[in-house]
Amino acid sequence: HPAIFHPDNNQGVRLPAPVIVSVVNGASFRPGPLAPRMVFTVYFTGVTGWEETAGDSATFSLGGVSAFLDDFPVRLLYNSGSGQLNAVVSGFAGLKTEGNLVLKYGSTVSALVKVAFLPQAHTLYQYGEGVPVITDEQNRLVGNQLSPAQRGSVVTAYGTGCGQPPNLLDDQNITQPVVLSATPAFTIAGMPIEIKSVSLLPGPVGVCAYKFMVPDNSGRTSLWFGGDLPLGLKYTMWVQ
């Protein structure tokens, strides 16, 4: 990036420090507790950089910015170059109730921001407004108004915040889905649903797969998710 000022080649120039504006859930983009291996987003000001996306290998600096939770480097996914940094919570967070987050840009460091942790903080990814990302057993996108999910069928919703798998090192890469023993208590249209499995998918990006059966006893075409989801979040799944 020859036209961009690089923080590691500043030739004695005093660099500005990043300023953390907010830390939010990476699926809902709302504030709230984070969980081990959960995707989260940091909005910040005070520095410039460049847009950069991580590859398959562990990346701890993007666009000239790095992040640290309690002095441990945080794996980064994306830097927008304009004040948005996407990252993954370290696995060690499951042993704590809170931590201190800082951003670094060259030799400058932001003021620390406290972040709360929970063992799990289930949140579904969505496209459009409140429509969760759901696939059927043929890996087709369903649950939306154009392609409703079939009542009684088994589908998979995708999210983040399902927690740290047992018997794994803090940030150990996984190469195949890891099924978690703890399952959330999701409801649809106010009725509990059977969660068949919750899996952490391979790779560093903290994606969780929630496999469940679509209720077959409702006459409505649109159903609301509830239960162990962040307060105030509602997702609409269309069925037929």
Side-chain angles (χ1 to χ4, degrees):
H1 304 273
I4 300 175
F5 182 79
H6 198 290
D8 296 325
N9 187 25
N10 59 72
Q11 297 180 343
V13 177
R14 183 175 177 82
L15 298 176
V19 177
I20 297 175
V21 177
S22 62
V23 180
V24 298
N25 182 310
S28 69
F29 296 102
R30 296 187 181 192
L34 305 179
R37 293 187 181 244
M38 183 177 188
V39 177
F40 70 104
T41 295
V42 183
Y43 293 105
F44 63 96
T45 61
V47 301
T48 57
W50 56 90
E51 184 177 15
E52 190 171 6
T53 301
D56 294 332
S57 59
T59 303
F60 299 98
S61 178
L62 287 177
V65 179
S66 54
F68 294 80
L69 270 170
D70 291 339
D71 297 324
F72 289 95
V74 174
R75 181 170 288 187
L76 305 181
L77 303 175
Y78 173 71
N79 185 345
S80 70
S82 57
Q84 177 181 334
L85 191 69
N86 295 348
V88 181
V89 178
S90 301
F92 80 87
L95 304 175
K96 315 181 77 171
T97 58
E98 66 176 17
N100 296 320
L101 175 71
V102 298
L103 298 184
K104 291 187 177 182
Y105 180 71
S107 59
T108 66
V109 185
S110 72
L112 65 85
V113 170
K114 286 196 175 296
V115 179
F117 297 132
L118 291 174
Q120 295 91 29
H122 305 283
T123 313
L124 301 183
Y125 285 113
Q126 54 189 310
Y127 62 97
E129 184 61 34
V131 180
V133 178
I134 298 175
T135 59
D136 62 14
E137 292 188 293
Q138 286 73 48
N139 206 33
R140 298 174 298 195
L141 197 63
V142 297
N144 55 74
Q145 196 166 5
L146 294 177
S147 301
Q150 298 293 319
R151 292 183 176 88
S153 66
V154 175
V155 297
T156 301
Y158 300 90
T160 191
C162 54
Q164 172 76 352
N167 305 319
L168 284 184
L169 299 177
D170 284 350
D171 294 318
Q172 178 181 347
N173 265 340
I174 57 175
T175 57
Q176 57 186 2
V178 176
V179 178
L180 304 178
S181 57
T183 57
F186 285 174
T187 62
I188 296 183
M191 300 294 293
I193 61 173
E194 178 189 358
I195 301 291
K196 294 184 173 294
S197 67
V198 178
S199 302
L200 184 68
L201 297 185
V205 294
V207 176
C208 307
Y210 302 88
K211 182 175 288 189
F212 65 95
M213 180 174 289
V214 179
D216 60 1
N217 57 353
S218 173
R220 290 184 287 182
T221 56
S222 61
L223 305 177
W224 293 99
F225 275 89
D228 288 350
L229 292 166
L231 186 64
L233 274 184
K234 289 184 177 180
Y235 306 90
T236 305
M237 178 178 67
W238 294 83
V239 300
Q240 67 179 13

